[in-house]
Amino acid sequence: MNKLFSIGFWSAVARFILRNRPLILIVIAAITVVLALQWKNMRFTYTEANLLPDEHEINVEYNKFLQEFGEEGNLIILGVKDTSIFDPVLFKKWHDLSKKIKDFDEIDVTLSIGDLHKLEKREDTTAFKLVPLIQDTVYTKEQLDRYQYELFHKLPFYKGLVYSPNKQSIRTAVYIKKDVVNTPARKDFIINDLIPLVDSFERETGLRVYTSGMPYIRTLNSQNIIDEIGMFIGAALIVTSLIFFFFFRSFRATIISMLTVIIGVMWAFGILGLLHYEITVLTALIPPLIIVIGIPNCIFLINKYQQEIKLHGNQAKSLQRVITKVGNATLMTNLTTASGFATFILTNSKLLKEFGIVASLNILVIFLLSLFIIPIVYSYMPTPKYKHLKHLNKRWISRFVSWMERMVKEHRVAIYVCAVLLLSISIIGIYNIRISGSIIEDMPKKTEFFADIKFFEKEYEGIMPLEILIDTKRKKGVMKLATLKRMDELQNYIEEIPEFSEPLSVVELVKYSKQAYYNNNPEYYQIPNSQERTFLLSYAKSSTDNTRFLSNYVDSTGQYARITTFMKDTKAGRFERIEEDLLDEISKIFPEDRYEVSLTGKALVFQKGTKYLVNNLILSLSLAIFLIALFMAWMFRNLKMIIVSLIPNLLPLIITAGLMGFIGVPIKPSTILVFSIAFGISVDDTIHFLAKYRQELIANHWKIRKSVYASLRETGISMFYTSIVLFFGFSVFATSSFGGTVALGILISITLLFAMLANLLLLPSLLLSLERSIANKETMKKPALKIFTDNELDNDQEEFEDD
């Protein structure tokens, strides 16, 4: 691998690029066209992100549940909180809305107040019949008043299904066909059919309709992701180009850089399509990430080119030095950045694995594009004039570099005190960090559908489905009275948990059967006793052909039953306590030798996924630190240099973690990404500085102080430029409507800002303080990574020109 960083290798690379300019441009154009043709294969996700590996026990239980009862998240609910809904005109319009929705091919069944039925005992046989609650097609006020009273006060079966427990709102349940719910047809129905119908109803009646349910939430959430991709790309291009132009004051340099990163974005979309990966909330960040990470490559290459032109004015020599001198170090910095993203591949989470693969691959791609395009394009252009180089002499830049040099020279103790103080305060903040497992926390809070989620959470005591799967271990075991009583006991316990809604199961049908047998007296809405068991259960079983309710809660063999409840947005710590208490109660109610009971459902899968993800990402961050430490060991072959290089990059991570604790930003899938990404990027500045430091040591005959200050003056400008671009580039994500994306952008920006200061102030200070023990000829003279001296490059340049 040493050959990869030898002067001969990079000279050969420079010769290849500059001698094959037309061919390289044609190849880049051809690849761009081929990858653009892959855009048609990009797919947007139609399911929730499953953060757990397929073989995880929680996923195994969930898949077992799906095998027995099919997709659970196929319910859309429409709600109204207005007593005027029982006005004849409004009632008819509400009922008509339900009928229109039911007529769509994507819909399995709807349940609305206009088409409810009640059980009545048949006289001719031991069975019940379903009788419409409203039999007239023309509604009157008196009739609807009686109907409302009967529904709210005599039919507890429909509580939580059609009307809220507080009897203040009603809702229509819309069940999408299970084979449609995870397909593009779901999106087409919701966006093109359902939403326009609801909007039309609201305009005609003046009533506010609240719409929610997992299919609806997922669809609008995905639509927001799609809408924000273009916004992020546009904002990232505008922000980075403005900052770039402010620094270089050159339209030519700005246009060349923008062209480079735009091609990188086109390739990023093409790679996503080529690999047939879905566009998720994470992969949607990759194109703007490529812009933000690609621009620093352009800055280092263009800045070095202009410095060389200013030094000697020879364009060919300048381009050759740019490729040989900067390309060498930039490759390593891009490798370390890519390794920060690549650690996500090891998380066993499909979502993060795909993100890690595409991000790390595209970071290397944007490096190659920068290395090829910028020197080639400049080779066809005239030599930069003095006006293009004036930014190198800006007074404020000179003052900033002088300030850094003065701080390192005269105030090292103050730098160390500030670092230790920030470290101590941050450690206190870290102890205040909490873990969040909320499904809805990162959703756009200013959107209407988020307000609708909170409405149903308040009125119906939950929105996220939690399932309890009961295996009686024998066929027809569910309808045994002993099983039903155990289920009822468990449901009574669940009702006492404030975070859960009233549960639904076959128990409700059995209770309703008893009520129907006793002439629909609501006082008899209860589990039958042992004397009533035989004839009432025969009635209930005989009636199941007339209702679809039983098939949703008992499998065809009668061996498996489900209890469904809906959970409020609950903090991870509270959920863990609820889960522990619930499992303890289940073990008391259901003997393990006769029943097998498990918790599952989307809410549980997400909660467990978050915890699993946090644990794995801590490991991935540790791996990233270890890998980059190996890079440093390979480059500098000095243990103390490894420690010195890691300190300025670990300190900003600790400060950011402490800040999260103080301001209440929880650890969640979005924010845990901050540390691996920021570490991989921030270490780039360290590599650039230390590589230049090593070069200056040789040039200045191992004079430590002179080498440190010379390195600070030359690399400080580029490090400042790139850090500012990265800071504002990642700040673009703060414009997102997704809380997690906002936190990701702001936290990475803050981390990189602290990393810049650490690399410009703390790193040189450490080198000066530890000069005797670090800088010795044995360990620094022949490191693996070389930034070649001018004499070496001049000798190679002569060979290059002779060839």
Side-chain angles (χ1 to χ4, degrees):
M1 195 170 180
N2 285 338
K3 293 181 179 179
L4 185 61
F5 297 97
S6 69
I7 190 169
F9 172 80
W10 282 100
S11 296
V13 170
R15 282 195 293 270
F16 172 79
I17 292 173
L18 296 175
R19 289 178 176 175
N20 298 279
R21 294 173 297 172
L23 175 63
I24 291 173
L25 291 179
I26 290 170
V27 169
I28 289 174
I31 294 174
T32 303
V33 171
V34 170
L35 289 176
L37 294 175
Q38 298 298 317
W39 294 357
K40 64 179 182 294
N41 296 323
M42 287 192 299
R43 298 174 295 128
F44 294 97
T45 182
Y46 295 101
T47 59
E48 295 89 0
N50 192 335
L51 305 176
L52 294 169
D54 292 338
E55 66 276 7
H56 195 280
E57 60 178 348
I58 298 295
N59 262 344
V60 171
E61 289 289 347
Y62 184 59
N63 289 328
K64 179 181 177 182
F65 169 83
L66 294 180
Q67 287 175 2
E68 298 298 333
F69 294 101
E71 174 61 44
E72 47 146 355
N74 65 328
L75 172 64
I76 296 177
I77 44 180
L78 310 176
V80 174
K81 187 177 182 180
D82 196 318
T83 55
S84 65
I85 193 67
F86 288 96
D87 174 84
V89 175
L90 295 179
F91 188 90
K92 185 178 186 306
K93 287 184 179 294
W94 182 256
H95 183 47
D96 290 343
L97 174 64
S98 174
K99 288 195 294 185
K100 288 177 184 176
I101 294 172
K102 187 177 181 179
D103 289 339
F104 285 100
D105 294 335
E106 295 85 357
I107 301 306
D108 185 16
V109 66
T110 61
L111 183 65
S112 180
I113 57 172
D115 50 19
L116 297 183
H117 293 72
K118 64 179 179 180
L119 286 177
E120 287 188 355
K121 185 170 58 174
R122 296 181 60 169
E123 301 298 335
D124 55 341
T125 183
T126 57
F128 295 111
K129 59 182 178 179
L130 283 172
V131 178
L133 274 176
I134 300 180
Q135 300 185 17
D136 297 329
T137 56
V138 178
Y139 307 122
T140 66
K141 179 63 176 171
E142 293 76 15
Q143 179 193 46
L144 291 178
D145 286 343
R146 288 196 302 271
Y147 171 58
Q148 181 183 4
Y149 180 83
E150 183 176 9
L151 178 63
F152 285 177
H153 299 283
K154 294 187 176 182
L155 294 173
F157 176 77
Y158 288 113
K159 183 171 73 169
L161 271 176
V162 174
Y163 65 91
S164 61
N166 62 12
K167 302 175 184 177
Q168 296 296 311
S169 64
I170 58 96
R171 69 180 187 180
T172 293
V174 179
Y175 291 89
I176 296 180
K177 290 178 180 175
K178 293 181 178 181
D179 58 350
V180 169
V181 70
N182 289 327
T183 68
R186 183 200 77 207
K187 176 190 171 186
D188 294 338
F189 163 71
I190 291 173
I191 299 294
N192 301 325
D193 300 321
L194 180 64
I195 292 177
L197 272 177
V198 172
D199 289 344
S200 176
F201 173 85
E202 287 182 325
R203 286 193 302 270
E204 290 177 10
T205 64
L207 295 178
R208 167 76 160 91
V209 178
Y210 300 88
T211 310
S212 197
M214 293 308 295
Y216 185 80
I217 294 170
R218 281 154 42 189
T219 299
L220 295 195
N221 210 38
S222 297
Q223 190 61 43
N224 271 336
I225 294 172
I226 297 168
D227 294 341
E228 287 193 351
I229 292 177
M231 181 191 74
F232 284 150
I233 293 173
L237 284 172
I238 291 171
V239 168
T240 53
S241 62
L242 287 175
I243 296 172
F244 192 96
F245 181 77
F246 174 77
F247 286 148
F248 285 90
R249 300 297 171 92
S250 169
F251 285 108
R252 181 165 65 182
T254 304
I255 292 171
I256 293 170
S257 300
M258 291 303 108
L259 174 67
T260 303
V261 295
I262 286 172
I263 293 173
V265 168
M266 295 173 70
W267 284 33
F269 280 125
I271 290 171
L272 278 170
L274 185 67
L275 297 175
H276 294 271
Y277 286 168
E278 291 183 338
I279 302 291
T280 65
V281 71
L282 287 183
T283 52
L285 300 178
I286 291 175
L289 273 175
I290 295 305
I291 296 172
V292 173
I293 293 173
I295 286 295
N297 289 338
C298 301
I299 288 175
F300 275 109
L301 291 166
I302 294 175
N303 201 47
K304 182 60 181 175
Y305 173 64
Q306 293 182 349
Q307 285 177 344
E308 291 292 331
I309 290 292
K310 182 183 177 183
L311 186 66
H312 50 71
N314 186 321
Q315 187 182 45
K317 183 177 180 180
S318 299
L319 292 171
Q320 189 262 349
R321 282 192 172 186
V322 164
I323 298 169
T324 308
K325 200 169 184 180
V326 179
N328 181 30
T330 308
L331 172 61
M332 181 54 68
T333 59
N334 279 269
L335 283 174
T336 55
T337 301
S339 67
F341 286 90
T343 54
F344 298 139
I345 299 171
L346 305 176
T347 59
N348 288 327
S349 166
K350 182 174 180 253
L351 178 76
L352 281 174
K353 189 173 290 187
E354 291 180 358
F355 175 68
I357 290 171
V358 178
S360 56
L361 190 60
N362 277 286
I363 287 168
L364 298 179
V365 163
I366 194 64
F367 160 73
L368 293 174
L369 287 173
S370 303
L371 189 67
F372 288 145
I373 292 174
I374 289 176
I376 289 175
V377 172
Y378 268 108
S379 71
Y380 285 112
M381 291 185 169
T383 303
K385 298 178 182 179
Y386 174 74
K387 66 179 182 180
H388 299 129
L389 309 177
K390 284 195 297 183
H391 72 94
L392 298 173
N393 300 317
K394 288 178 183 174
R395 290 185 179 180
W396 69 272
I397 286 291
S398 300
R399 286 197 295 267
F400 177 71
V401 172
S402 299
W403 174 79
M404 290 188 298
E405 191 174 339
R406 187 171 64 255
M407 289 295 296
V408 172
K409 187 181 297 184
E410 301 173 5
H411 303 288
R412 284 204 298 276
V413 174
I415 291 172
Y416 295 145
V417 169
C418 289
V420 172
L421 192 62
L422 284 171
L423 177 65
S424 303
I425 295 172
S426 299
I427 290 173
I428 296 172
I430 288 173
Y431 282 99
N432 296 321
I433 291 181
R434 62 182 178 86
I435 296 176
S436 169
S438 168
I439 297 179
I440 67 172
E441 185 171 17
D442 281 346
M443 289 182 181
K445 292 182 173 54
K446 294 182 180 179
T447 57
E448 192 172 286
F449 80 84
F450 186 85
D452 292 355
I453 291 174
K454 303 306 287 186
F455 168 80
F456 284 106
E457 187 177 73
K458 178 182 178 183
E459 292 292 317
Y460 293 87
E461 301 174 341
I463 193 70
M464 305 304 168
L466 182 72
E467 303 283 352
I468 300 173
L469 180 63
I470 300 169
D471 179 6
T472 63
K473 298 184 179 181
R474 57 193 182 279
K475 291 184 178 181
K476 298 182 180 180
V478 172
M479 297 304 288
K480 299 290 185 182
L481 186 57
T483 301
L484 293 171
K485 285 184 175 181
R486 294 179 193 276
M487 291 174 65
D488 188 44
E489 184 180 352
L490 179 59
Q491 290 184 208
N492 290 333
Y493 175 80
I494 292 173
E495 284 183 27
E496 299 300 318
I497 301 174
E499 287 81 3
F500 288 166
S501 68
E502 291 191 19
L504 299 172
S505 73
V506 66
V507 170
E508 274 60 52
L509 181 61
V510 173
K511 289 181 178 180
Y512 193 20
S513 299
K514 180 173 179 177
Q515 179 186 349
Y517 183 83
Y518 289 102
N519 300 317
N520 273 309
N521 186 339
E523 293 181 2
Y524 288 94
Y525 186 76
Q526 55 189 243
I527 291 288
N529 56 38
S530 55
Q531 289 80 19
E532 299 163 328
R533 175 188 59 183
T534 304
F535 65 87
L536 275 179
L537 290 184
S538 66
Y539 265 81
K541 292 175 183 177
S542 301
S543 306
T544 54
D545 292 336
N546 297 322
T547 178
R548 305 179 64 167
F549 188 87
L550 186 66
S551 62
N552 285 326
Y553 291 93
V554 180
D555 79 314
S556 58
T557 66
Q559 178 175 334
Y560 293 93
R562 68 189 276 198
I563 298 174
T564 301
T565 185
F566 292 89
M567 189 177 75
K568 293 180 179 179
D569 187 28
T570 306
K571 293 181 180 179
R574 170 62 180 158
F575 180 83
E576 288 178 357
R577 290 193 295 274
I578 291 173
E579 181 191 10
E580 184 179 345
D581 293 342
L582 186 56
L583 289 173
D584 184 55
E585 189 69 19
I586 287 172
S587 65
K588 293 177 184 177
I589 296 173
F590 293 91
E592 292 184 5
D593 59 329
R594 295 173 56 191
Y595 300 94
E596 185 177 325
V597 184
S598 59
L599 290 180
T600 187
K602 293 186 184 298
L604 181 74
V605 171
F606 190 86
Q607 287 275 0
K608 295 296 183 182
T610 299
K611 187 174 182 180
Y612 174 86
L613 188 63
V614 169
N615 293 335
N616 275 263
L617 286 176
I618 290 172
L619 292 175
S620 74
L621 175 61
S622 303
L623 179 61
I625 295 170
F626 175 72
L627 286 176
I628 290 169
L630 285 181
F631 277 130
M632 295 297 183
W634 174 71
M635 287 189 295
F636 299 107
R637 300 173 186 178
N638 183 312
L639 178 61
K640 291 179 180 177
M641 280 296 291
I642 296 170
I643 296 171
V644 166
S645 65
L646 289 179
I647 288 173
N649 296 291
L650 291 176
L651 180 61
L653 300 186
I654 296 171
I655 293 172
T656 300
L659 188 63
M660 289 172 63
F662 283 123
I663 65 177
V665 176
I667 291 289
K668 51 187 175 181
S670 51
T671 55
I672 194 69
L673 298 176
V674 168
F675 301 100
S676 294
I677 294 173
F679 185 79
I681 295 173
S682 65
V683 79
D684 294 356
D685 285 344
T686 306
I687 292 173
H688 276 290
F689 186 91
L690 291 178
K692 180 62 181 173
Y693 170 63
R694 179 259 168 186
Q695 178 192 340
E696 293 294 335
L697 277 176
I698 297 173
N700 293 310
H701 306 290
W702 304 95
K703 293 178 181 177
I704 306 299
R705 293 179 179 275
K706 187 176 181 181
S707 299
V708 168
Y709 298 139
S711 303
L712 194 58
R713 282 191 293 271
E714 178 161 334
T715 61
I717 296 174
S718 291
M719 288 165 64
F720 175 74
Y721 280 5
T722 55
S723 296
I724 294 300
V725 169
L726 288 167
F727 177 82
F728 286 103
F730 277 103
S731 296
V732 163
F733 295 129
T735 62
S736 173
S737 59
F738 292 90
T741 307
V742 172
L744 179 76
I746 292 175
L747 290 173
I748 290 181
S749 296
I750 292 172
T751 307
L752 294 178
L753 188 62
F754 279 114
M756 178 193 74
L757 294 173
N759 279 301
L760 291 176
L761 297 176
L762 184 59
L763 178 59
S765 298
L766 290 170
L767 290 173
L768 290 172
S769 299
L770 303 173
E771 57 181 283
R772 293 183 179 179
S773 57
I774 290 180
N776 62 79
K777 296 181 182 181
E778 299 301 321
T779 58
M780 292 291 289
K781 194 168 185 178
K782 292 184 179 180
L785 176 65
K786 295 188 69 177
I787 295 238
F788 310 115
T789 64
D790 291 343
N791 289 335
E792 290 174 319
L793 289 170
D794 285 340
N795 293 335
D796 193 70
Q797 173 69 16
E798 291 173 6
E799 297 176 12
F800 174 69
E801 290 173 346
D802 291 341
D803 290 344

